[in-house]
């Protein structure tokens, strides 16, 4: 079955770039997503990328997709303390179930 | 900006009791979902609902669980006889039927079974 793996923690200094990595197993994955969960809140969709794309940029966020290695990354430029949250990688598959499979989430800690 | 709302934010119940978790999806969305997240574990899919019926469910969604859309705005998850292992954060989500399956999540209900 599908599996999505992420490292559990990432600690960065304010102003630095953060890179959160994710690997997935299903080569049929069509959509890959990044969700953000702040304390006490639900999952907020940050961005998504379609599998025929290699990169997507949205303000401070850059998503890179390496389909060959089944590797997805989220780069946050100029990381701020407000970026501290749990970041979930997820994938879903067109033509099958659209239900996303989530990773365990990466806790991003931004310190001054 | 429209959002998915869930109530209550925290529900405490005794083992064996029935609980109903409530959700108000975004008004023009057609697909509704329940997920759960046991502390420290992955977000797990429970069930999806479309056109007044279950469209997909996971192995977790056994006979103890049921979903209902009792009116035009609410979407509920009922657990008939709660077990200790049902303690988790339960998330409701909704999406348009536009093929991208961009799901919008509520803030969740934390269920604590004692």
């Amino acid at each position: 079955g599908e599996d999505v793996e992420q490292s559990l923690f990432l600690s960065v200094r304010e102003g630095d770039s953060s890179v959160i990595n994710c690997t997935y197993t299903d080569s049929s994955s069509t959509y890959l997503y990044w969700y953000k969960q702040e304390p006490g809140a639900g999952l907020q969709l940050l961005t998504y990328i379609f599998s025929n794309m290699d990169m997507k940029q949205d303000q401070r966020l850059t998503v890179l997709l390496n389909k060959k290695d089944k590797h997805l990354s989220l780069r946050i430029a100029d990381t701020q303390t407000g970026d501290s949250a749990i970041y979930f990688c997820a994938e879903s598959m067109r033509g099958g179930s659209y239900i996303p499979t989530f990773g365990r989430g990466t806790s991003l800690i931004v310190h001054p | 900006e429209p959002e998915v709302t869930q109530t209550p934010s925290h529900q405490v119940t005794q083992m064996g009791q029935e609980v109903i978790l409530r959700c108000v999806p975004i008004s023009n969305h057609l697909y509704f979902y329940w997920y759960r997240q046991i502390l420290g574990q992955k977000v797990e899919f429970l069930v999806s609902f479309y056109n007044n019926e279950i469209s997909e469910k996971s192995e977790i969604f056994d006979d103890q669980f049921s979903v209902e859309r009792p009116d035009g705005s609410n979407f509920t998850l009922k657990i008939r006889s709660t077990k200790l292992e049902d303690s988790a954060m339960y998330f409701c989500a909704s999406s348009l039927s536009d093929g991208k399956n961009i799901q919008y999540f509520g803030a969740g209900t934390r269920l604590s079974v004692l």
Side-chain angles (χ1 to χ4, degrees), chain A residues 99, chain B residues 34 36 44-48 54 56-62 65:
Chain A
I99 303 302
Chain B
W34 283 102
R36 79 171 183 192
E44 302 171 292
F45 167 71
L46 292 177
V47 65
S48 61
I54 290 173
E56 192 169 346
K57 61 182 181 179
S58 71
E59 293 174 352
I60 303 167
F61 194 86
D62 61 21
F65 293 90

Side-chain angles (χ1 to χ4, degrees), chain B residues 16-113:
Chain B
Q17 294 296 305
E18 174 183 286
V19 294
I20 297 177
L21 310 182
R22 302 182 191 279
C23 170
V24 179
I26 294 173
S27 62
N28 62 335
H29 285 187
L30 300 177
Y31 289 83
F32 315 117
Y33 312 84
W34 283 102
Y35 293 82
R36 79 171 183 192
Q37 185 184 24
I38 295 172
L39 189 63
Q41 298 189 23
K42 295 186 178 186
V43 175
E44 302 171 292
F45 167 71
L46 292 177
V47 65
S48 61
F49 192 86
Y50 170 72
N51 200 25
N52 283 319
E53 59 183 25
I54 290 173
S55 52
E56 192 169 346
K57 61 182 181 179
S58 71
E59 293 174 352
I60 303 167
F61 194 86
D62 61 21
D63 292 344
Q64 295 284 25
F65 293 90
S66 62
V67 289
E68 194 177 29
R69 187 151 164 84
D71 52 44
S73 61
N74 290 283
F75 179 52
T76 61
L77 174 69
K78 183 193 289 186
I79 309 175
R80 274 188 202 86
S81 177
T82 49
K83 303 188 281 287
L84 295 176
E85 54 265 38
D86 293 327
S87 295
M89 183 73 90
Y90 288 80
F91 292 107
C92 174
S94 68
S95 68
L96 287 167
S97 58
D98 63 355
K100 290 196 194 75
N101 195 34
I102 303 303
Q103 298 186 16
Y104 295 84
F105 283 75
T109 293
R110 179 168 297 284
L111 177 64
S112 300
V113 182

Side-chain angles (χ1 to χ4, degrees), chain A residues 5-49:
Chain A
E5 294 294 336
Q6 306 174 236
S7 54
L8 292 182
F9 298 100
L10 177 65
S11 178
V12 300
R13 188 171 299 170
E14 191 174 17
D16 287 351
S17 292
S18 309
V19 179
I20 304 172
N21 294 300
C22 169
T23 57
Y24 58 97
T25 57
D26 192 342
S27 55
S28 309
S29 295
T30 302
Y31 289 100
L32 295 122
Y33 313 86
W34 284 105
Y35 281 86
K36 176 183 180 183
Q37 184 183 30
E38 295 182 21
L43 282 74
Q44 172 200 355
L45 179 67
L46 279 180
T47 187
Y48 65 94
I49 189 168

